[in-house]
Amino acid sequence: MRLSRYFLPVLKETPAEAQIVSHRLMLRAGMIKQASAGIYSWLPLGFKVLRRIEQIVHEEQQRAGHIPMLMPTLQSADLWRESGRYDDYGQEMLRITDRHGRDMLYGPTNEELITDIFRSNVASYKDLPLTLYHIQWKFRDEVRPRFGVMRGREFLMKDGYNFDLTKDDALHAYNRHLVSYLRSYERMGLQAIPMRADGGPIGGDYTHEFLVLAETGESEVFYDSDITDLKFGDREIDYDDVAQCQSVLEEFTSRYARTDETHDEAVFAEVPEARRRSARGIEVGQIFYFGTKYSEAMGATVIDAEQNQVPVHMGSHGIGVSRLLGAIIEASHDDKGIIWPEGVTPFHCGIVNLKQGDEAADAACDALYGALTAAGLEPLYDDRKERAGGKFATMDLIGLPWRITVGPRGLKNGVVELTSRKTGESEELTPEAAVAKVVARYAAL
Ligand code: P5A
């Protein structure tokens, strides 16, 4: 993409309404624009990152054997009356009446809708296990929407639902989700720690939240510092292997790590004092096992091997897709702007032409652009007639991991400059070597 033809409305001033750095940087980098309280338009740069995050989530869900689909945002109130949650959900639910006077709602989550799909189509234990998921907008009429996409009213969530014959099978589904979430967050350059939490309006008492530690996080958390050394890394996993998934769960959840809802001072006191931490965290996902709560209320049963009708065991599992943009920026920025992890960056590499209109510089930039594109990468070429300082400031603000700077002086010696946004280090390389280095970085992801 050539910057002269793109839509990147960066702001020079720091927006007064934004209280935390990720919100400020998303506004300044022209990623989002507020439409009304807690509701945002996703401008091209923000939309690109959102899509990259979605892509990682899709790949990791499907790797775990979970099946993608799409349910609507508007739901009938009748289904929610069946589960009893129409009255329980309270003011967070946006209720709508259609022209025929039918009660509808903008879905805050989809347990009822998916249970209805299941009961209409599945009758036998032979069709289990089954896990369906989608990535869809949700609406929760939060009292205090704030911090930009971090606590929105309209927000994008990946929500998955497992249907199993037995509790053990459902717990395996829970473990599969835990493993796939660990992989997903690491691919986004994040450390998200699973912590024992509370079921809240979703239900069940077996649930973990995934938290990214950050001072601006809205959750208070308590944990054993040893847990921060754990990495999932690039280990191979067989998602059908019950024991293997269980051992990952044990590895990542055996140390003390709880949100304030389930925090227990007496148990925490058993952690050696030097390792006890209390901090703040951003909740980027939550997994639940709630047994037969919805299947019993809504008649989602199957015939088992002995010909008995039994309610299925269920769980639901959510990732805060749009919130993740905020969480990633909170975890990765400096005073100049965003520092995108390579796994989610909107463009793979920036190209800065120091002297637009200079024949050699223009030709070298075009050649770099062509070579990066041919290698399957998306460069962002700043081809505007602007001062070098302004171009660098924009690139630093929008945080692309790599920048290639091209100027007539370097070209005389056959070199361009390759700069890492993260370390700030630059090296002079031939254009071919610079491209090869950037391509190799992404190939290694
Ligand atoms: C699990 C999937 C559920 O709704 N039902 C379907 C279950 N869980 S949850 O924890 O309530 O939400 C899942 C994740 O969505 C993100 N999230 C939000 N993101 C932005 N703004 C909000 N107002 C908001 N509310 C929830 C969180 O990341 C949460 O973990």
Side-chain angles (χ1 to χ4, degrees):
M1 178 58 66
R2 284 169 176 269
L3 197 43
S4 62
R5 297 185 198 162
Y6 199 46
F7 181 63
L8 185 71
V10 298
L11 306 179
K12 293 240 158 48
E13 271 88 61
T14 301
E17 76 268 26
Q19 297 162 20
I20 61 171
V21 68
S22 57
H23 189 193
R24 277 198 293 277
L25 288 174
M26 286 183 79
L27 292 170
R28 283 192 52 215
M31 296 175 67
I32 51 168
K33 173 161 185 345
Q34 183 173 302
S36 42
I39 303 179
Y40 290 87
S41 296
W42 292 80
L43 306 182
L45 193 74
F47 182 57
K48 245 173 169 314
V49 182
L50 195 67
R51 282 284 178 261
R52 291 226 193 264
I53 292 174
E54 279 186 85
Q55 185 59 31
I56 291 176
V57 171
H58 274 301
E59 285 172 16
E60 294 305 329
Q61 287 311 298
Q62 288 170 53
R63 197 196 300 277
H66 306 157
I67 305 169
M69 61 177 297
L70 186 60
M71 288 174 269
T73 52
L74 293 188
Q75 304 181 21
S76 155
D78 288 341
L79 283 178
W80 287 67
R81 293 198 173 99
E82 283 189 51
S83 72
R85 284 207 295 181
Y86 190 64
D87 294 326
D88 291 355
Y89 224 91
Q91 288 196 302
E92 261 192 26
M93 182 187 275
L94 182 65
R95 294 155 210 259
I96 304 159
T97 310
D98 73 10
R99 66 196 297 167
H100 303 292
R102 280 189 283 256
D103 293 333
M104 312 281 295
L105 55 99
Y106 193 136
T109 176
N110 283 53
E111 280 78 8
E112 285 77 359
L113 201 51
I114 196 84
T115 305
D116 181 52
I117 291 170
F118 179 88
R119 71 180 171 186
S120 313
N121 293 289
V122 181
S124 163
Y125 75 99
K126 289 181 186 153
D127 295 325
L128 303 182
L130 178 66
T131 296
L132 299 166
Y133 80 93
H134 71 164
I135 299 181
Q136 178 61 293
W137 295 94
K138 303 288 184 288
F139 197 94
R140 294 183 185 174
D141 205 353
E142 307 271 353
V143 203
R144 275 207 304 158
R146 57 181 188 154
F147 300 162
V149 299
M150 207 77 102
R151 177 165 297 279
R153 292 199 297 164
E154 188 186 51
F155 61 96
L156 192 59
M157 188 201 288
K158 167 264 158 184
D159 40 326
Y161 304 85
N162 68 284
F163 300 92
D164 288 279
L165 182 62
T166 65
K167 178 174 180 183
D168 280 351
D169 291 348
L171 291 177
H172 174 54
Y174 187 94
N175 296 349
R176 274 199 322 268
H177 281 90
L178 180 123
V179 175
S180 66
Y181 281 24
L182 290 172
R183 280 187 66 110
S184 305
Y185 297 126
E186 281 195 14
R187 282 186 63 186
M188 296 171 201
L190 280 179
Q191 180 173 41
I193 303 172
M195 301 200 181
R196 276 305 288 265
D198 182 72
I202 307 294
D205 53 12
Y206 187 51
T207 173
H208 286 89
E209 283 182 7
F210 289 77
L211 286 122
V212 173
L213 298 175
E215 277 168 29
T216 48
E218 293 193 274
S219 314
E220 194 181 8
V221 297
F222 300 85
Y223 61 96
D224 174 342
S225 64
D226 269 8
I227 206 164
T228 57
D229 296 334
L230 296 176
K231 294 262 172 320
F232 188 81
D234 53 8
R235 58 180 106 173
E236 281 299 314
I237 191 100
D238 173 357
Y239 281 101
D240 290 329
D241 185 332
V242 171
Q244 197 184 24
C245 292
Q246 173 68 23
S247 80
V248 175
L249 171 110
E250 284 166 15
E251 179 184 344
F252 280 83
T253 62
S254 57
R255 292 172 186 75
Y256 192 94
R258 298 192 189 185
T259 64
D260 56 355
E261 298 151 347
T262 55
H263 178 56
D264 182 331
E265 273 298 336
V267 186
F268 194 43
E270 289 166 21
V271 177
E273 195 174 354
R275 301 203 322 240
R276 269 180 247 156
R277 299 278 187 285
S278 75
R280 303 205 66 84
I282 303 166
E283 180 203 327
V284 291
Q286 188 164 1
I287 53 178
F288 300 81
Y289 164 72
F290 42 66
T292 56
K293 170 176 171 178
Y294 297 90
S295 54
E296 280 197 56
M298 297 180 65
T301 59
V302 290
I303 291 180
D304 69 9
E306 282 81 45
Q307 303 296 308
N308 303 312
Q309 284 281 351
V310 292
V312 287
H313 286 258
M314 290 174 61
S316 71
H317 316 276
I319 292 185
V321 173
S322 48
R323 174 177 288 182
L324 271 164
L325 276 93
I328 292 169
I329 297 173
E330 288 296 325
S332 186
H333 67 269
D334 62 14
D335 52 8
K336 295 189 201 134
I338 302 165
I339 306 174
W340 289 116
E342 287 166 331
V344 298
T345 184
F347 291 96
H348 297 103
C349 182
I351 302 173
V352 170
N353 189 342
L354 291 178
K355 196 152 187 213
Q356 205 68 43
D358 176 273
E359 211 174 305
D362 291 0
C365 288
D366 287 342
L368 284 167
Y369 190 93
L372 288 164
T373 310
L377 299 184
E378 273 189 278
L380 180 68
Y381 170 21
D382 192 344
D383 59 344
R384 297 169 306 161
K385 281 209 154 61
E386 267 236 12
R387 286 181 308 109
K391 290 189 175 188
F392 289 144
T394 301
M395 282 293 174
D396 284 343
L397 174 64
I398 68 171
L400 310 185
W402 297 99
R403 184 185 81 207
I404 302 179
T405 309
V406 180
R409 212 175 313 150
L411 286 177
K412 283 207 182 94
N413 301 321
V415 294
V416 295
E417 192 184 57
L418 178 66
T419 307
S420 156
R421 175 69 182 87
K422 193 166 167 187
T423 65
E425 283 163 19
S426 293
E427 53 182 331
E428 291 198 329
L429 297 167
T430 63
E432 295 73 25
V435 169
K437 185 156 179 185
V438 173
V439 170
R441 290 290 304 207
Y442 289 103
L445 286 186

